[in-house]
């Protein structure tokens, strides 16, 4: 089954509103609207930038999605500092990153938290927000040689209790921690090995059809120089781009490589 590639930019905690609007406008100016028929494109700015960035793309009538970088699983209530699924839905988000390794590392997010967020996002499919579920091993786990088991366990936990029909809307991003922001990209073979294993795991958990429908992205120092080789791997359906997504020309060039 042909899967439409997805190139998503993870801006992390970068860009004030003013800066974010400029970056979104630069991306809009660089993008050929036709490309968006062949590649899904999204940017995930900080919460404060979501609406302004959404508005730039809406004004330009450009089909670039906007995603949050995190969400809380309860719809409302006394959870000071948290943002809910209905809130990001009303802004116009169509994606939400879940379980990024920085959230797991610095904010103590567990596999169980990730699973609750995935359920909250997949619950209402009327105005869908597709979770981009991040998984990936540390350098210590890679050196130990148990990285496939480690990533499989993260995938299993994230999808626990999710039915096959809704699971198809989820996206998995394999982001080895040792490759994030380090300039040390996984080789295409290393990335394919794990992305392929993720798909096999999804086939075991669900079935071949479901596994063939779910997009698996690679993330970790992807840039315009290495994107082409990574994106040509059979089980890599796109990229989650950090650093290179903060430069409009680089980000749009990666989109071009995915055509
Ligand atoms: P990077 O980040 O491209 O800067 O390595 C990727 C990510 O953390 O999503």
């Amino acid at each position: 089954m042909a899967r439409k590639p997805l190139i998503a930019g993870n801006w992390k905690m970068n860009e004030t509103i003013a800066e974010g609007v400029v970056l979104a406008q630069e991306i809009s100016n660089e993008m050929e609207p036709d490309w968006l028929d062949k590649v899904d494109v999204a940017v995930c700015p900080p919460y404060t930038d979501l609406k302004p960035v959404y508005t730039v793309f809406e004004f330009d009538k450009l089909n670039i999605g906007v995603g949050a970088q995190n969400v809380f699983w309860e719809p409302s209530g006394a959870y000071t500092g948290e943002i809910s699924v209905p809130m990001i839905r009303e802004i116009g988000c169509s994606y939400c990153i879940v379980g990024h390794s920085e959230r797991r590392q610095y904010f103590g997010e567990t596999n169980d938290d990730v699973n609750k967020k995935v359920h909250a996002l997949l619950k209402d499919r009327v105005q869908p927000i597709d979770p981009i579920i991040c998984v990936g091993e540390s350098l210590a786990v890679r050196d130990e040689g148990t990285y496939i088991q480690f990533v499989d366990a993260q995938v299993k936990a994230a999808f626990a209790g999710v039915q096959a029909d809704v699971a198809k809307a989820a996206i998995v991003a394999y982001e080895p921690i040792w490759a994030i922001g380090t300039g040390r990209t996984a080789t295409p073979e290393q990335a394919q090995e794990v992305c392929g294993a993720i798909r096999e795991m999804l086939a075991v958990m669900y079935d071949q059809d479901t596994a063939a429908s779910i997009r698996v992205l690679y993330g970790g120092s992807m840039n315009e120089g290495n994107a082409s080789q990574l994106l040509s791997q059979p089980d890599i359906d796109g990229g989650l781009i950090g650093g290179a997504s903060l430069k409009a020309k680089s980000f749009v060039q990666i989109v071009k490589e995915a055509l």
Side-chain angles (χ1 to χ4, degrees):
M1 173 190 280
R3 292 175 294 270
K4 192 176 181 189
L6 168 64
I7 301 294
N10 174 10
W11 292 6
K12 309 195 180 187
M13 198 178 70
N14 295 296
E15 314 300 326
T16 64
I17 294 176
E19 292 163 347
V21 166
V22 170
L23 178 54
Q25 193 62 65
E26 286 171 355
I27 291 170
S28 175
N29 294 347
E30 294 282 331
M31 195 74 70
E32 291 289 338
D34 294 358
W35 297 349
L36 301 171
D37 298 335
K38 300 202 188 86
V39 185
D40 284 337
V41 177
V43 296
C44 303
Y47 287 130
T48 43
D49 296 5
L50 283 170
K51 192 70 185 178
V53 166
Y54 178 90
T55 306
V56 169
F57 298 140
E58 190 186 37
F59 186 81
D60 288 356
K61 298 191 171 46
L62 207 55
N63 188 21
I64 298 180
V66 168
Q69 298 173 12
N70 180 35
V71 77
F72 189 55
W73 55 81
E74 292 293 346
S76 63
Y79 302 102
T80 302
E82 293 298 320
I83 304 278
S84 72
V85 174
M87 291 169 181
I88 62 167
R89 175 169 290 126
E90 199 174 303
I91 283 176
C93 285
S94 39
Y95 299 93
C96 182
I97 298 172
V98 180
H100 190 280
S101 60
E102 286 151 16
R103 295 217 53 86
R104 295 179 191 255
Q105 187 180 345
Y106 305 131
F107 303 100
E109 271 191 30
T110 64
N111 278 339
D112 189 40
D113 296 339
V114 171
N115 179 244
K116 285 185 187 142
K117 293 177 184 199
V118 169
H119 276 277
L121 286 161
L122 291 175
K123 205 168 147 198
D124 179 351
R125 304 310 294 159
V126 177
Q127 198 188 320
I129 305 177
D130 298 343
I132 302 176
I133 303 165
C134 298
V135 297
E137 80 287 357
S138 63
L139 191 55
V141 171
R142 163 112 341 216
D143 288 345
E144 246 171 55
T146 53
Y147 51 95
I148 301 274
Q149 294 93 308
F150 183 88
V151 169
D152 273 355
Q154 286 184 319
V155 171
K156 258 182 119 161
F159 282 88
V162 177
Q163 299 303 313
D165 54 337
V166 278
K168 286 181 182 178
I171 297 148
V172 180
Y174 169 56
E175 299 206 306
I177 296 169
W178 46 271
I180 294 178
T182 58
R184 184 182 159 189
T185 325
T187 63
E189 294 72 27
Q190 284 173 322
Q192 165 57 31
E193 182 194 19
V194 182
C195 291
I198 290 170
R199 202 175 307 286
E200 277 171 31
M201 184 49 158
L202 292 167
V204 170
M205 290 164 58
Y206 296 108
D207 50 71
Q208 290 293 346
D209 173 56
T210 306
S213 305
I214 296 176
R215 290 184 286 190
V216 181
L217 315 182
Y218 167 78
S221 299
M222 195 190 261
N223 58 40
E224 63 268 52
N226 57 33
S228 154
Q229 275 206 315
L230 287 159
L231 295 171
S232 64
Q233 300 302 310
D235 287 299
I236 300 181
D237 308 314
L240 184 56
I241 328 290
S245 75
L246 298 173
K247 288 168 273 166
K249 275 195 174 14
S250 304
F251 182 63
V252 174
Q253 185 59 38
I254 296 170
V255 172
K256 204 172 168 188
E257 300 293 349
L259 288 171

Short mmCIF file of all heavy atoms in Angstrom, two decimals, residues 42-72:
data_model
loop_
_atom_site.label_atom_id
_atom_site.label_comp_id
_atom_site.label_asym_id
_atom_site.label_seq_id
_atom_site.Cartn_x
_atom_site.Cartn_y
_atom_site.Cartn_z
N ALA A 42 3.71 19.41 7.86
CA ALA A 42 3.19 20.02 9.08
C ALA A 42 4.32 20.69 9.84
O ALA A 42 5.49 20.29 9.71
CB ALA A 42 2.56 18.95 9.98
N VAL A 43 3.98 21.71 10.59
CA VAL A 43 4.95 22.27 11.54
C VAL A 43 4.34 22.22 12.94
O VAL A 43 3.13 22.38 13.11
CB VAL A 43 5.39 23.72 11.19
CG1 VAL A 43 6.12 23.76 9.87
CG2 VAL A 43 4.22 24.68 11.18
N CYS A 44 5.19 21.97 13.90
CA CYS A 44 4.75 21.86 15.30
C CYS A 44 5.49 22.92 16.12
O CYS A 44 6.58 22.69 16.63
CB CYS A 44 5.05 20.47 15.84
SG CYS A 44 4.29 19.15 14.88
N PRO A 45 4.91 24.11 16.20
CA PRO A 45 5.54 25.20 16.97
C PRO A 45 5.13 25.12 18.44
O PRO A 45 4.27 24.31 18.80
CB PRO A 45 4.97 26.45 16.31
CG PRO A 45 3.75 26.03 15.56
CD PRO A 45 3.66 24.54 15.56
N PRO A 46 5.70 25.97 19.29
CA PRO A 46 5.23 26.04 20.67
C PRO A 46 3.75 26.46 20.70
O PRO A 46 3.26 27.08 19.75
CB PRO A 46 6.09 27.14 21.29
CG PRO A 46 7.25 27.31 20.39
CD PRO A 46 6.80 26.90 19.02
N TYR A 47 3.05 26.14 21.79
CA TYR A 47 1.61 26.44 21.90
C TYR A 47 1.29 27.88 21.52
O TYR A 47 0.30 28.15 20.86
CB TYR A 47 1.14 26.24 23.34
CG TYR A 47 1.00 24.81 23.79
CD1 TYR A 47 1.58 24.40 25.00
CD2 TYR A 47 0.25 23.88 23.07
CE1 TYR A 47 1.44 23.10 25.45
CE2 TYR A 47 0.11 22.57 23.52
CZ TYR A 47 0.71 22.19 24.71
OH TYR A 47 0.56 20.91 25.16
N THR A 48 2.14 28.81 22.01
CA THR A 48 1.84 30.23 21.82
C THR A 48 1.81 30.62 20.34
O THR A 48 1.16 31.60 19.97
CB THR A 48 2.89 31.10 22.54
OG1 THR A 48 4.18 30.52 22.28
CG2 THR A 48 2.65 31.14 24.04
N ASP A 49 2.52 29.87 19.51
CA ASP A 49 2.61 30.20 18.08
C ASP A 49 1.56 29.47 17.25
O ASP A 49 1.44 29.74 16.05
CB ASP A 49 3.98 29.78 17.50
CG ASP A 49 5.14 30.53 18.09
OD1 ASP A 49 4.93 31.30 19.04
OD2 ASP A 49 6.27 30.32 17.63
N LEU A 50 0.83 28.54 17.84
CA LEU A 50 -0.03 27.66 17.02
C LEU A 50 -1.03 28.45 16.18
O LEU A 50 -1.12 28.26 14.98
CB LEU A 50 -0.78 26.66 17.92
CG LEU A 50 0.04 25.47 18.43
CD1 LEU A 50 -0.73 24.70 19.49
CD2 LEU A 50 0.43 24.54 17.27
N LYS A 51 -1.78 29.33 16.85
CA LYS A 51 -2.82 30.06 16.11
C LYS A 51 -2.22 31.01 15.08
O LYS A 51 -2.65 31.02 13.92
CB LYS A 51 -3.74 30.81 17.10
CG LYS A 51 -4.99 31.34 16.45
CD LYS A 51 -5.92 30.21 16.08
CE LYS A 51 -7.14 30.67 15.33
NZ LYS A 51 -7.99 29.55 14.94
N PRO A 52 -1.22 31.83 15.47
CA PRO A 52 -0.63 32.73 14.46
C PRO A 52 -0.06 31.97 13.25
O PRO A 52 -0.24 32.40 12.12
CB PRO A 52 0.49 33.44 15.23
CG PRO A 52 0.11 33.34 16.67
CD PRO A 52 -0.68 32.09 16.82
N VAL A 53 0.61 30.84 13.49
CA VAL A 53 1.19 30.08 12.39
C VAL A 53 0.09 29.46 11.54
O VAL A 53 0.13 29.48 10.31
CB VAL A 53 2.16 29.00 12.95
CG1 VAL A 53 2.51 27.98 11.88
CG2 VAL A 53 3.42 29.66 13.50
N TYR A 54 -0.94 28.94 12.21
CA TYR A 54 -2.10 28.38 11.49
C TYR A 54 -2.69 29.46 10.56
O TYR A 54 -3.02 29.19 9.40
CB TYR A 54 -3.15 27.91 12.50
CG TYR A 54 -4.40 27.37 11.87
CD1 TYR A 54 -4.52 26.01 11.56
CD2 TYR A 54 -5.48 28.21 11.57
CE1 TYR A 54 -5.68 25.51 10.97
CE2 TYR A 54 -6.63 27.73 10.97
CZ TYR A 54 -6.72 26.38 10.68
OH TYR A 54 -7.86 25.88 10.09
N THR A 55 -2.79 30.67 11.09
CA THR A 55 -3.40 31.77 10.34
C THR A 55 -2.58 32.14 9.09
O THR A 55 -3.15 32.45 8.05
CB THR A 55 -3.57 33.00 11.27
OG1 THR A 55 -4.30 32.57 12.42
CG2 THR A 55 -4.33 34.12 10.60
N VAL A 56 -1.26 32.07 9.21
CA VAL A 56 -0.41 32.36 8.03
C VAL A 56 -0.73 31.39 6.90
O VAL A 56 -0.96 31.79 5.76
CB VAL A 56 1.10 32.26 8.41
CG1 VAL A 56 1.98 32.30 7.15
CG2 VAL A 56 1.49 33.38 9.36
N PHE A 57 -0.76 30.10 7.21
CA PHE A 57 -1.01 29.09 6.17
C PHE A 57 -2.45 29.20 5.63
O PHE A 57 -2.70 29.01 4.45
CB PHE A 57 -0.73 27.67 6.68
CG PHE A 57 0.71 27.46 7.10
CD1 PHE A 57 1.04 26.72 8.23
CD2 PHE A 57 1.75 28.00 6.35
CE1 PHE A 57 2.36 26.52 8.61
CE2 PHE A 57 3.08 27.82 6.71
CZ PHE A 57 3.38 27.08 7.85
N GLU A 58 -3.38 29.49 6.54
CA GLU A 58 -4.78 29.63 6.14
C GLU A 58 -4.93 30.81 5.18
O GLU A 58 -5.58 30.70 4.13
CB GLU A 58 -5.63 29.85 7.39
CG GLU A 58 -7.11 29.77 7.14
CD GLU A 58 -7.91 30.15 8.38
OE1 GLU A 58 -7.50 31.06 9.13
OE2 GLU A 58 -8.96 29.52 8.59
N PHE A 59 -4.29 31.91 5.52
CA PHE A 59 -4.37 33.13 4.69
C PHE A 59 -3.79 32.85 3.30
O PHE A 59 -4.32 33.30 2.29
CB PHE A 59 -3.61 34.28 5.37
CG PHE A 59 -3.76 35.58 4.66
CD1 PHE A 59 -4.88 36.37 4.83
CD2 PHE A 59 -2.77 36.03 3.78
CE1 PHE A 59 -5.03 37.58 4.16
CE2 PHE A 59 -2.91 37.23 3.09
CZ PHE A 59 -4.04 38.01 3.29
N ASP A 60 -2.70 32.09 3.27
CA ASP A 60 -2.04 31.77 1.99
C ASP A 60 -2.72 30.59 1.28
O ASP A 60 -2.22 30.14 0.24
CB ASP A 60 -0.55 31.45 2.23
CG ASP A 60 0.24 32.71 2.57
OD1 ASP A 60 -0.35 33.80 2.53
OD2 ASP A 60 1.44 32.58 2.87
N LYS A 61 -3.79 30.06 1.87
CA LYS A 61 -4.52 28.91 1.30
C LYS A 61 -3.57 27.76 0.98
O LYS A 61 -3.63 27.13 -0.08
CB LYS A 61 -5.30 29.32 0.04
CG LYS A 61 -6.35 30.37 0.32
CD LYS A 61 -7.27 30.54 -0.88
CE LYS A 61 -8.47 31.43 -0.59
NZ LYS A 61 -8.19 32.68 0.12
N LEU A 62 -2.67 27.51 1.91
CA LEU A 62 -1.66 26.47 1.73
C LEU A 62 -1.95 25.33 2.70
O LEU A 62 -2.12 25.56 3.90
CB LEU A 62 -0.28 27.09 2.03
CG LEU A 62 0.93 26.48 1.36
CD1 LEU A 62 0.77 26.45 -0.16
CD2 LEU A 62 2.16 27.29 1.72
N ASN A 63 -2.03 24.14 2.14
CA ASN A 63 -2.44 22.99 2.94
C ASN A 63 -1.29 22.43 3.79
O ASN A 63 -0.90 21.27 3.66
CB ASN A 63 -3.00 21.92 2.00
CG ASN A 63 -3.64 20.78 2.76
OD1 ASN A 63 -4.00 20.94 3.92
ND2 ASN A 63 -3.74 19.63 2.11
N ILE A 64 -0.74 23.27 4.66
CA ILE A 64 0.30 22.82 5.59
C ILE A 64 -0.36 22.69 6.96
O ILE A 64 -1.00 23.64 7.44
CB ILE A 64 1.48 23.83 5.65
CG1 ILE A 64 2.15 23.93 4.28
CG2 ILE A 64 2.49 23.41 6.73
CD1 ILE A 64 3.33 24.90 4.24
N GLY A 65 -0.22 21.52 7.57
CA GLY A 65 -0.86 21.28 8.86
C GLY A 65 -0.08 21.90 10.00
O GLY A 65 1.11 22.21 9.88
N VAL A 66 -0.77 22.08 11.09
CA VAL A 66 -0.14 22.59 12.30
C VAL A 66 -0.33 21.55 13.40
O VAL A 66 -1.40 20.93 13.50
CB VAL A 66 -0.76 23.96 12.68
CG1 VAL A 66 -0.34 24.38 14.07
CG2 VAL A 66 -0.35 25.01 11.67
N GLY A 67 0.71 21.32 14.18
CA GLY A 67 0.61 20.33 15.26
C GLY A 67 1.15 20.87 16.56
O GLY A 67 2.02 21.76 16.57
N ALA A 68 0.63 20.35 17.67
CA ALA A 68 1.16 20.69 19.00
C ALA A 68 2.32 19.74 19.29
O ALA A 68 2.48 18.71 18.64
CB ALA A 68 0.07 20.57 20.04
N GLN A 69 3.11 20.11 20.29
CA GLN A 69 4.26 19.27 20.65
C GLN A 69 3.95 18.36 21.83
O GLN A 69 4.75 17.51 22.22
CB GLN A 69 5.46 20.15 21.02
CG GLN A 69 5.94 21.02 19.88
CD GLN A 69 7.02 22.00 20.31
OE1 GLN A 69 7.57 21.90 21.41
NE2 GLN A 69 7.32 22.96 19.46
N ASN A 70 2.77 18.57 22.42
CA ASN A 70 2.40 17.81 23.61
C ASN A 70 0.94 18.13 23.89
O ASN A 70 0.40 19.12 23.38
CB ASN A 70 3.27 18.26 24.80
CG ASN A 70 2.94 17.53 26.08
OD1 ASN A 70 2.60 16.34 26.07
ND2 ASN A 70 3.03 18.23 27.20
N VAL A 71 0.29 17.30 24.69
CA VAL A 71 -1.09 17.57 25.10
C VAL A 71 -1.36 16.78 26.39
O VAL A 71 -0.67 15.79 26.66
CB VAL A 71 -2.07 17.15 23.97
CG1 VAL A 71 -2.28 15.64 23.91
CG2 VAL A 71 -3.40 17.88 24.06
N PHE A 72 -2.35 17.24 27.16
CA PHE A 72 -2.74 16.46 28.35
C PHE A 72 -3.97 15.65 28.01
O PHE A 72 -4.75 16.02 27.12
CB PHE A 72 -3.01 17.40 29.54
CG PHE A 72 -3.18 16.66 30.84
CD1 PHE A 72 -2.22 15.77 31.30
CD2 PHE A 72 -4.33 16.83 31.60
CE1 PHE A 72 -2.38 15.07 32.49
CE2 PHE A 72 -4.50 16.13 32.81
CZ PHE A 72 -3.54 15.26 33.24
#
